[in-house]
Amino acid sequence: MNDTAVETGLYARVQHFYAHQMQALDAGRFEEYALTFTESGTFQHSPSAEPARGRAAIVAELVRFHERFADDPVQRRHWFNHIALTPLHDGAVRSTVYALVVTVRPGRREPEIAPSCVVHDVLETGGDAVLTRSRSITHDQLG
């Protein structure tokens, strides 16, 4: 196994960053979510779609994606775990994360857990800030 150690403080900062980023997404605060990306950041959450480039495009993509749930009052929770960080030569960090999306509908007790994904990020971690430079997501069910 070839793992490259990162400092504990950086790992904790990334976990904290992801917690706030996912809470913004799950609450539908798409502008706040987009601000967690660099100005020219890319976001590809669907394997068949081109990546959204830039914060405004990320917001537009999320609004478009969530329009399909206008008549379906779902609550989604994105669970990130098994965060693996690898330092890159330019000072950024590659982050590979297992993610589950939990969906709950009013009146139902059992949540739906789907999809199961792997999130591939490049994070810029200068100073105290963490920003996503790029994100692509692979879905386990697509093989």
Side-chain angles (χ1 to χ4, degrees), residues 4 7 16 60 63 102 108 115 121 124 136 139:
T4 304
E7 65 175 83
H16 181 79
V63 168
V102 179
R108 290 194 187 167
D121 283 349
E124 295 188 4
S136 65
H139 296 250

Side-chain angles (χ1 to χ4, degrees), residues 17 50 74-75:
F17 168 78
E50 288 296 313
V74 300
Q75 176 60 63

Side-chain angles (χ1 to χ4, degrees), residues 47-64:
S48 60
E50 288 296 313
R53 297 184 188 282
R55 292 173 175 162
I58 291 168
V59 171
E61 172 57 24
L62 290 170
V63 168
R64 185 200 62 74

Side-chain angles (χ1 to χ4, degrees), residues 17-18 21-22 25 33 36-37 41-46 51-52 58 78 80 95 97 118-123 131-138:
F17 168 78
Y18 280 142
Q21 186 186 53
M22 291 302 99
L25 179 63
Y33 175 82
T36 68
F37 285 74
T42 60
F43 170 69
Q44 183 176 23
H45 66 104
S46 174
I58 291 168
H78 289 75
F80 277 24
S95 175
V97 180
V118 179
V119 177
H120 308 273
D121 283 349
V122 174
L123 303 174
L131 292 172
T132 306
R133 181 191 301 169
S134 66
R135 170 166 292 163
S136 65
I137 301 169
T138 56

Side-chain angles (χ1 to χ4, degrees), residues 56 127 140:
D140 293 338

Side-chain angles (χ1 to χ4, degrees), residues 57-72:
I58 291 168
V59 171
E61 172 57 24
L62 290 170
V63 168
R64 185 200 62 74
F65 178 80
H66 285 85
E67 284 174 349
R68 69 184 185 162
F69 303 109
D71 296 327
D72 184 10

